[in-house]
């Protein structure tokens, strides 16, 4: 038996199985293959060997038996040599003949070896840099957040007058180019806050002074840098009807506003709550940025021969994550990509470097955990799993549908990574 290292963290295993061992699989091969053929006068699987051999061919039966022998032999080699194989192995018979040893080879990917150069001084420098960073919340940031909060509780009052900046209007509109409606250029009961400048330049200016049920037609040019290249810089005609004009009454940010939110005695208490929340968010962001810098440095200091299967698996995961995000916005991934004139293959090509980086990041953290011999008690893993299950308790049939083994391994990985980061942040 011979094991040879190949490129991209693959190995080639060559082995031979004595005839005395692999001939034992011939009866099973005859039985299995005879079930797939009809021989007059015999039930499937019960025809004599010579008749099965005549119909199928001796070589095909030998190959079937050889495949069965390899399926039994290969896992034993993996276990005996403690090989960390991943993905589906590719087997090839190199010598097969009745009465002779069976020779075969298997090519498979293995978890890559991770070599990290001395990293402690570099990580220590990153930690010192972040130690001096403060997470202050400025008064203007609090005011901006309170303004946003007040705007989220705006009261709309229908008015019988011309639309002004700051009003909310409900529109029907159609966009035409050379008197032909453009794709996705028609909308009914479209809400718009005048002054937010979400439409192309000049559109809102034309809506100002229009009243309920008033209609208007005007021409505008799309911006030169418009994302839809066929429309960029081109003149179009807008046909617009105003269905409703509403005055937006934004509540004044004062003690009464704070009390209306339920749990605050006055504006000062609300400001403190907002400030504490923003500070916590900034601290969280700083931790994430610090950890990203640490991982980037570890990847930079490491040598990893990535197997393609790990990168492809990560790309698949990234596409799934992106698909969930798009669905959360009420769209299908394919529809979104069609608008961009892209395919999933295009995304995979664009995201390949990011996928490689993510895989390397995961591997270097795993290596650090092994070096430090980090272990997490089963009780702690189960405790975190229960928190996760509790979080999704309202999801129908969650306990039936969730794969507990996968959740256990995922939770274990998260907790081990957390311990690895704590060690790195202590340097």
């Amino acid at each position: 038996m011979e094991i040879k290292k190949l490129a991209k963290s693959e190995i080639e295993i060559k082995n031979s199985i004595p005839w005395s061992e692999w001939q034992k699989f011939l009866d099973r091969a005859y039985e299995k293959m005879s079930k797939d053929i009809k021989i007059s006068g015999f039930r499937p699987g019960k025809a004599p060997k010579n008749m099965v051999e005549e119909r199928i061919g001796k070589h095909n039966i030998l190959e079937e038996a050889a495949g069965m022998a390899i399926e039994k032999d290969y896992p034993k080699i993996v276990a005996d040599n403690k090989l960390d194989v991943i993905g589906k192995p590719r087997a090839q018979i190199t010598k097969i003949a009745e009465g002779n040893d069976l020779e075969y080879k298997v090519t498979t990917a293995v978890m890559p070896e991770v070599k990290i150069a001395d990293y402690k001084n570099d990580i220590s420098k990153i930690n010192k840099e972040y130690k001096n960073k403060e997470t202050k919340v400025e008064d203007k940031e609090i005011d901006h957040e309170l303004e946003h909060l007040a705007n989220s509780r705006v009261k709309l009052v229908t008015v019988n007058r011309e639309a002004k900046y700051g009003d909310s209007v409900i529109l029907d509109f159609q966009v035409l180019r050379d008197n032909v409606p453009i794709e996705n250029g028609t909308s009914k009961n479209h809400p718009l806050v005048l002054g937010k400048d979400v439409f192309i330049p000049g559109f809102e200016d034309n809506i100002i002074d229009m009243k309920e049920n008033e209609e208007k037609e005007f021409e505008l040019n799309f911006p030169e840098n418009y994302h839809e290249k066929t429309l960029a810089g081109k003149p179009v005609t807008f046909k617009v009807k105003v269905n409703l004009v509403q005055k937006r009454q934004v509540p004044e940010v004062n003690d009464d506003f704070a009390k209306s939110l339920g749990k605050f005695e006055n504006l000062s208490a609300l400001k403190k709550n907002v400030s504490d929340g923003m500070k916590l968010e900034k601290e969280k962001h700083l931790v994430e940025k610090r950890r990203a810098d640490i991982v980037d440095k570890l990847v930079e200091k490491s040598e990893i021969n990535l197997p393609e299967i790990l990168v492809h698996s990560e790309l698949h995961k990234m596409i799934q994550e992106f698909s969930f995000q798009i669905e959360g916005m009420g769209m299908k991934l394919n529809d979104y990509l069609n608008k961009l004139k892209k395919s999933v293959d295009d995304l995979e090509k664009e995201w390949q470097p990011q996928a490689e980086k993510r895989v390397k990041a995961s591997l270097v953290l795993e290596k650090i955990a092994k070096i430090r011999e980090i272990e997490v008690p089963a009780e702690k893993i189960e405790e975190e799993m229960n928190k996760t299950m509790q979080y999704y308790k309202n999801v129908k049939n969650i306990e039936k549908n969730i794969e507990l083994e996968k959740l256990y391994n995922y939770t274990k990985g998260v907790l081990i990574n957390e311990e690895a980061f704590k060690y790195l942040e202590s340097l």
Side-chain angles (χ1 to χ4, degrees):
M1 197 272 293
E2 179 191 343
I3 299 175
K4 186 169 100 179
K5 286 185 179 181
L6 305 176
K8 293 185 178 178
S9 285
E10 286 198 326
I11 58 169
E12 182 184 81
I13 302 169
K14 288 183 179 178
N15 198 29
S16 63
I17 306 173
W19 167 248
S20 59
E21 289 293 325
W22 77 275
Q23 70 168 330
K24 296 173 186 175
F25 293 91
L26 279 171
D27 286 344
R28 284 171 55 190
Y30 274 110
E31 185 183 347
K32 181 184 175 184
M33 299 186 82
S34 66
K35 286 178 180 176
D36 298 330
I37 60 172
K38 289 182 180 179
I39 297 178
S40 182
F42 297 95
R43 284 179 296 153
K46 300 298 180 181
K49 288 181 182 178
N50 63 328
M51 295 182 75
V52 174
E53 192 176 307
E54 188 179 321
R55 179 72 67 88
I56 296 174
K58 185 60 178 277
H59 187 75
N60 289 330
I61 295 168
L62 285 173
E63 282 196 338
E64 183 69 28
M68 291 176 174
I70 292 167
E71 279 182 18
K72 185 178 180 183
D73 192 57
Y74 169 70
K76 190 172 182 302
I77 293 172
V78 170
D80 290 347
N81 292 274
K82 296 177 180 170
L83 300 173
D84 198 356
V85 298
I86 49 175
K88 191 176 179 182
R90 306 184 297 280
Q92 181 187 349
I93 296 167
T94 54
K95 184 180 177 183
I96 182 171
E98 191 172 10
N100 288 277
D101 292 353
L102 169 68
E103 293 182 8
Y104 73 94
K105 66 179 180 181
V106 173
T107 307
T108 185
V110 291
M111 285 299 287
E113 185 182 356
V114 179
K115 296 177 182 175
I116 309 179
D118 187 22
Y119 59 86
K120 292 183 179 179
N121 286 338
D122 293 289
I123 303 302
S124 178
K125 284 179 186 174
I126 292 172
N127 288 332
K128 283 177 184 173
E129 178 191 335
Y130 276 88
K131 194 175 181 180
N132 297 323
K133 289 188 177 180
E134 290 185 36
T135 50
K136 285 178 65 178
V137 179
E138 303 286 343
D139 287 344
K140 62 181 179 182
E141 293 177 282
I142 298 171
D143 291 341
H144 179 76
E145 189 62 27
L146 290 173
E147 184 185 336
H148 177 75
L149 193 60
N151 273 286
S152 70
R153 283 158 175 75
V154 69
K155 184 179 178 183
L156 297 175
V157 180
T158 301
V159 290
N160 185 22
R161 59 163 172 74
E162 297 87 355
K164 300 177 182 178
Y165 281 111
D167 284 344
S168 178
V169 291
I170 307 295
L171 311 168
D172 292 344
F173 69 83
Q174 188 177 39
V175 190
L176 304 98
R177 186 177 171 205
D178 299 326
N179 291 321
V180 178
I182 68 170
E183 188 180 0
N184 300 318
T186 301
S187 184
K188 296 282 186 184
N189 292 319
H190 188 93
L192 175 69
V193 177
L194 298 175
K196 295 287 186 183
D197 291 327
V198 293
F199 268 66
I200 68 170
F203 182 86
E204 291 183 11
D205 294 338
N206 278 280
I207 307 303
I208 298 297
D209 294 333
M210 287 183 70
K211 297 177 71 173
E212 184 178 323
N213 293 323
E214 187 177 342
E215 297 182 23
K216 189 175 185 181
E217 190 173 311
F218 53 89
E219 288 193 1
L220 291 172
N221 280 12
F222 273 95
E224 295 289 345
N225 60 348
Y226 193 65
H227 62 87
E228 179 56 64
K229 300 302 178 190
T230 57
L231 294 173
K234 300 292 191 296
V236 289
T237 301
F238 283 90
K239 289 184 177 180
V240 179
K241 181 189 175 188
V242 174
N243 296 327
L244 203 63
V245 178
Q246 294 179 308
K247 182 181 179 182
R248 300 176 80 250
Q249 292 183 343
V250 181
E252 187 181 346
V253 179
N254 53 23
D255 288 344
D256 289 336
F257 174 70
K259 288 173 185 175
S260 73
L261 299 177
K263 59 178 182 178
F264 304 104
E265 291 181 6
N266 50 40
L267 182 57
S268 295
L270 173 60
K271 282 186 173 183
K272 185 180 184 311
N273 181 269
V274 169
S275 177
D276 290 346
M278 293 180 79
K279 191 173 191 324
L280 204 63
E281 194 62 35
K282 284 190 172 190
E283 285 169 353
K284 183 183 172 187
H285 176 73
L286 205 61
V287 168
E288 289 172 355
K289 181 71 173 68
R290 178 187 191 177
R291 291 184 172 185
D293 288 352
I294 286 172
V295 168
D296 285 348
K297 181 55 68 176
L298 288 172
V299 168
E300 183 189 312
K301 305 281 288 184
S302 66
E303 187 184 322
I304 310 172
N305 195 359
L306 282 183
E308 287 181 356
I309 186 169
L310 284 184
V311 179
H312 288 159
S313 174
E314 191 64 30
L315 277 170
H316 180 68
K317 195 162 92 176
M318 289 166 71
I319 298 292
Q320 273 193 321
E321 289 169 359
F322 187 60
S323 179
F324 290 145
Q325 289 174 12
I326 295 298
E327 285 174 14
M329 294 160 60
M331 292 181 71
K332 294 289 184 187
L333 179 61
N334 285 338
D335 296 337
Y336 177 81
L337 292 175
N338 286 337
K339 281 191 171 186
L340 298 178
K341 295 183 171 59
K342 286 186 177 182
S343 66
V344 170
D345 286 344
D346 293 329
L347 279 190
E348 288 188 354
K349 283 174 189 172
E350 288 175 22
W351 292 356
Q352 173 101 2
Q354 190 183 345
E356 290 177 1
K357 186 177 177 181
R358 280 172 58 154
V359 173
K360 285 180 178 179
S362 176
L363 290 171
V364 293
L365 279 177
E366 190 178 314
K367 181 70 173 180
I368 295 293
K370 282 181 181 176
I371 292 170
R372 299 292 302 170
E373 297 180 346
I374 294 172
E375 292 292 339
V376 179
E379 313 88 72
K380 191 169 182 182
I381 298 169
E382 287 164 11
E383 184 186 329
E384 287 301 315
M385 283 176 67
N386 288 334
K387 286 180 185 176
T388 303
M389 298 289 283
Q390 190 67 20
Y391 183 78
Y392 292 106
K393 67 179 179 181
N394 294 326
V395 179
K396 193 177 178 183
N397 296 325
I398 184 68
E399 290 187 4
K400 291 180 184 176
N401 295 330
I402 203 161
E403 293 183 52
L404 291 178
E405 188 180 352
K406 279 189 177 180
L407 178 60
Y408 184 92
N409 291 329
Y410 169 78
T411 306
K412 181 181 177 182
V414 169
L415 293 174
I416 286 175
N417 280 354
E418 182 62 28
E419 293 302 314
F421 273 122
K422 284 179 182 176
Y423 157 69
L424 291 164
E425 288 166 342
S426 73
L427 294 174

